[in-house]
Amino acid sequence: MSVNLKKLSEELGLSISSVSKALRDSYEISAETKKRVMEMAEKLNYQPNAFARGLRKQKSITIAVVIPEIANNFFSLAIDGIQMIAQQKGYHVLTYLSHEDAQNEESTVKHLQGGRVDGVIISLCGDSSSVKHLQALQASGVPVVFFDRVPESGEFPTITTDDFDCGFRATEHMLLAGCRRIAYLRMNGHLSITQKRMNGYLEALKKYRIPFDPKMVVECTNDNNGNIELLKRMLKLKNRPDGIFASVEKLAIATYHACSEINLKMPEQLKIISFSNLRTASLLSPSLSTITQPAFEIGREAATLLIQMIEKKNFSNRIEQIVLKSNLIERNSSRKRAKAGL
Amino acid sequence: MSVNLKKLSEELGLSISSVSKALRDSYEISAETKKRVMEMAEKLNYQPNAFARGLRKQKSITIAVVIPEIANNFFSLAIDGIQMIAQQKGYHVLTYLSHEDAQNEESTVKHLQGGRVDGVIISLCGDSSSVKHLQALQASGVPVVFFDRVPESGEFPTITTDDFDCGFRATEHMLLAGCRRIAYLRMNGHLSITQKRMNGYLEALKKYRIPFDPKMVVECTNDNNGNIELLKRMLKLKNRPDGIFASVEKLAIATYHACSEINLKMPEQLKIISFSNLRTASLLSPSLSTITQPAFEIGREAATLLIQMIEKKNFSNRIEQIVLKSNLIERNSSRKRAKAGL
DNA sequence: CTGTTAGCGCTTTCAT
DNA sequence: ATGAAAGCGCTAACAG
C-alpha cells in the first residue's frame, strides 16, 4: 500500500541500502545521488516505516505517560509540558489512564515491556499499593520517572513539589485570615503527597498553638456525591469549621456544592483554600485562595529527565529527585492575574 | 535484554513457531503443550514485541489523536472518551498537539503515514487552511475521523455538536434576560464552528428584531493579553455592550479579567454566556451561563467510528456525520448540579 | 561510492 | 501435533 525503500530503489535504479544511506545522509553516498534520492522520496511521499526501524534499532523513540486521569487541570498541564519536550526531542507520546485503578495501572505497565516505548513517566493511582510492576519495568531496561504521586521508597527518580511547605503555608494563610477551626479534606490516604500536605497542616497548627482536633480531618473518597453529603453533614454541625483546606481541587468543588445546597455563604461564613490548577478558579470565585503547582514545568522536567536517562544509559547511577516550588495565590490579591500566569 | 519467543522456545525445547501458535491458542497445538507454554511465558514474564508483530501483521493497534491543545477542558474530556473506547477495544493512543499551528499539524500528519497508526482522530487547528495532508493520509489507507473543528467540505466522517442551534439559544437566553446590546466574541474565523455559532447569534437577533451592529462582533486572537486589552477598550465605551456571548471559553475568561481590571460588575453591569466545558465555572461564578458540549461523548463516538472504519475496511463507502446535542446551563439554575453532570 | 547480506521478533504457509 | 523457512521494512557490517 505505502511506498517503501524497495519501491524507491526500484524507481531510482539503486540498491535498497544505498537509498537507505542516502536518506540518512551517510558520508558514503555521493552528493548527487543523495539529491536524486531525496527528490524521489519527496515526490513519492516516502515515510519510513516506524515499526521496521524500531524493530531493527531496538528503539521506539516513544515514551509512555501513565496518569490516573486526564480531565483534570493538573494532569493535562503536565502532559502539555511532557509533549512539548518530547516533540522537541523527536519522541512520540503514548498516553494511558489508570482511572485510579491499581489493576489497570499494573496491566498497562506490563504491556509496556513489549518494546513499545523507550521510557515511562508515571503518576501513581490513588490505590496502588505496590510498585513491583514498575521495578520489573525498570529492571527490564525501560527507565521510569515518577511525578507528583511518587512512591515513598526513594528508589526512583521523581519530580515533585514542596507539599509539606504548601500544606504549612496554606494553613498559615487561613490562620492569619482569622480561621480557628480549619477542616482538612483529604483522600488517597496512602499517597506520600497526602501525608506531606497534612504534615504541613499539623505543623502550622502547632506553630500557632491551635489544638488539633482529629474530627477536623475529613477522609474523602472518589465518590463526589458521597463527599458532598459528608461535607454537608459536617457543615451543619454546631461546632462546624470556619475554614476549609481542600488538599485536592476536587474536594474544593465538592465543598462549593455542599455550601450552595445548605445555603452557607462563602467567604463570609466559611473560608476556603485549595490545591488547584484550575487557573480561573481564584478569579471566578472571590472566596477561593489556591495553591498552584507548576504542572507544566513538572511535565517538562519529567520528560527532560526521562529522555536523558534514555539517551545516556549510564545515567542510572544517580537517582534524581527534583522538587519544584508551588505558588500560593491569595484571594483578592491585586497581582492575581500576573501570578496566575495569564 | 527482554525475553522473546526464541528464549521461550529454547527454555521449553520447542520450536519458535510452536510456541507462537501455542500463545495464540491455535488449534494445531495440543492442550498439554499450550499449558506448558503459557506457564513458562508467565514465569519468564514474556511480552510479545509490539514492533515485530506490527511489522509482520501490518497493523499497529494504535490510533493517533491530533488536537490543538490539551490544557483545555473540552479537549481533555474528549481524549478521556477516546481513551475509554480505545482501551476497551485494545488500542493504544498516541497524542499530538498542534498548538494551533498549521505547519505543525501538517508535519505531524505526514509522519503518521509511516505505519505507526491504524487511524487518526483530529480536530483542526485554528489556522489550518488546507486539508490536503489529511486527504493524502486517508488515501494512503489510514482512516481519519474529525471532531468539533471539522472541514466544511463534507468529504470526511465527522463528530460535531449543534453549533448553530447553540448560538441561537445562547443569544436568545441573553435577550430574554434583558440584554439588548450583545457582543459576540469570536476567534479562529475560518473554522466552521465559528461560522455556525455566529449564524445562530445573527438568527436570534433577527427573530427578536434587534438590529445587528457589526461593532458588536469582536475578532479575537490567541494572544490573551491582547484580547483583554481589546475588551477593556470596548467595555469603557459609552455605548458598551450589556451582554457578552463568548464563543469559546478562553474569551469568557478574558472578559472576566477585563471586567475585574476596569471594575465593571458582573452580572449587574454586564451579563455573560459562554461555550465552556469548565464544569465548575457556572458554579463558582453566579454570573456565567454556559453551553456545555458533550465532550466525553464526542470522544467516545469518534473513537467508536474510527475503530469501526479500521476493522471493516468496507465501511468507507458511507461517510458518517454525527451531530450531538449540547446543554445550555442557565445561571442560578437550581438544577445546576445535576445538569453539570457532577 | 555502491551493493550484498544478515538479521531485529514475530506470524504464517507449507512440510513433516 | 510440531517444525522449517520465508518475509514484514529497515539498518549496519562487510564486500566489492
Side-chain angles (χ1 to χ4, degrees), chain A residues 87 92 96 225 261 337, chain B residues 87 92 96 104 225 261 337:
Chain A
Q87 194 172 1
H92 299 252
Y96 299 90
N225 285 319
E261 289 182 20
R337 176 172 153 200
Chain B
Q87 195 173 359
H92 299 252
Y96 299 90
N104 218 317
N225 285 320
E261 289 181 20
R337 178 174 151 197

Side-chain angles (χ1 to χ4, degrees), chain A residues 1-2 42 45 47-55 58-63 69-73 76-77 79-80 83-84 87 91-97 99 104 107-108 110-117 136 139-141 224-225 228-229 232 253-254 256-257 260-261 278 280-286 288 336-337 340 342, chain B residues 1-2 42 45 47-55 58-63 69-73 76-77 79-80 83-84 87 91-97 99 104 107-108 110-117 136 139-141 224-225 228-229 232 253-254 256-257 260-261 278 280-286 288 336-337 340 342:
Chain A
M1 178 70 82
S2 70
E42 182 71 24
N45 192 21
Q47 293 294 337
N49 183 292
F51 283 4
R53 183 176 283 178
L55 181 58
Q58 300 290 40
K59 197 165 180 317
S60 61
I61 49 165
T62 304
I63 61 176
E69 49 175 348
I70 193 165
N72 163 311
N73 251 43
S76 54
L77 278 169
I79 290 213
D80 205 352
Q83 289 271 5
M84 182 189 182
Q87 194 172 1
Y91 280 75
H92 299 252
V93 180
L94 277 168
T95 312
Y96 299 90
L97 306 181
H99 285 296
N104 218 317
S107 79
T108 299
K110 265 203 175 144
H111 278 294
L112 259 23
Q113 275 177 62
R116 193 177 277 277
V117 297
S140 84
N224 275 321
N225 285 319
I228 293 172
E229 294 309 318
K232 276 163 69 177
I253 296 169
Y256 272 91
H257 280 293
S260 115
E261 289 182 20
L278 200 63
T280 53
S282 65
L283 180 80
L284 295 180
S285 163
L288 184 65
K336 212 183 269 177
R337 176 172 153 200
L342 201 95
Chain B
M1 179 69 80
S2 68
E42 182 72 23
N45 191 20
Q47 293 295 335
N49 183 292
F51 284 4
R53 184 178 282 179
L55 181 57
Q58 299 291 39
K59 194 160 181 323
S60 62
I61 49 166
T62 304
I63 62 175
E69 48 176 348
I70 194 166
N72 164 311
N73 250 43
S76 54
L77 279 168
I79 289 212
D80 205 353
Q83 288 271 6
M84 181 187 182
Q87 195 173 359
Y91 281 76
H92 299 252
V93 180
L94 277 168
T95 312
Y96 299 90
L97 306 181
H99 286 296
N104 218 317
S107 79
T108 300
K110 265 203 174 146
H111 277 294
L112 260 23
Q113 275 176 64
R116 193 177 277 277
V117 297
S140 84
N224 275 322
N225 285 320
I228 293 172
E229 294 309 318
K232 275 161 71 176
I253 295 169
Y256 272 90
H257 280 292
S260 117
E261 289 181 20
L278 198 64
T280 54
S282 64
L283 179 79
L284 295 180
S285 164
L288 184 66
K336 212 183 267 178
R337 178 174 151 197
L342 200 93

Side-chain angles (χ1 to χ4, degrees), chain A residues 30 34 40 46 65 77 97 138 167 197 203 209 213 226 257 312 338 340:
Chain A
S30 74
K34 275 183 195 167
M40 184 59 78
Y46 168 75
V65 179
L77 278 169
L97 306 181
Q138 178 98 279
R197 289 171 186 179
E203 187 67 23
R209 295 169 199 281
D213 179 355
H257 280 293
K312 328 183 184 175

Side-chain angles (χ1 to χ4, degrees), chain A residues 141-196:
Chain A
V142 179
V144 180
V145 169
F146 289 80
F147 74 99
D148 197 52
R149 299 158 164 219
V150 306
E152 305 176 52
S153 59
E155 66 191 309
F156 292 102
T158 58
I159 317 287
T160 51
T161 45
D162 48 349
D163 287 299
F164 173 87
D165 191 50
C166 284
F168 182 88
R169 280 154 65 207
T171 311
E172 187 171 48
H173 173 68
M174 297 297 269
L175 291 169
L176 295 177
C179 297
R180 283 301 166 266
R181 273 180 78 69
I182 304 169
Y184 183 81
L185 313 189
R186 52 180 261 165
M187 55 190 288
N188 295 325
H190 80 277
L191 287 177
S192 68
I193 52 172
T194 309
Q195 281 312 330
K196 287 187 189 161

Side-chain angles (χ1 to χ4, degrees), chain B residues 214-241:
Chain B
K215 286 210 197 73
M216 287 292 101
V217 175
V218 186
E219 195 70 53
C220 299
T221 68
N222 244 317
D223 168 23
N224 275 322
N225 285 320
N227 292 338
I228 293 172
E229 294 309 318
L230 205 67
L231 288 166
K232 275 161 71 176
R233 223 170 304 141
M234 166 176 237
L235 291 170
K236 279 192 228 159
L237 292 179
K238 194 159 176 191
N239 60 347
R240 64 165 178 79

Side-chain angles (χ1 to χ4, degrees), chain B residues 4-5 17 20 24 46 49 52-53 56:
Chain B
N4 53 21
L5 285 185
S17 62
S20 172
R24 329 217 85 244
Y46 167 75
N49 183 292
R53 184 178 282 179
R56 180 62 232 253

Side-chain angles (χ1 to χ4, degrees), chain B residues 235-267:
Chain B
L235 291 170
K236 279 192 228 159
L237 292 179
K238 194 159 176 191
N239 60 347
R240 64 165 178 79
D242 55 5
I244 297 275
F245 177 7
S247 67
V248 294
E249 182 175 308
K250 198 176 284 195
L251 298 177
I253 295 169
T255 308
Y256 272 90
H257 280 292
C259 286
S260 117
E261 289 181 20
I262 62 175
N263 286 316
L264 202 65
K265 272 211 149 183
M266 296 164 80

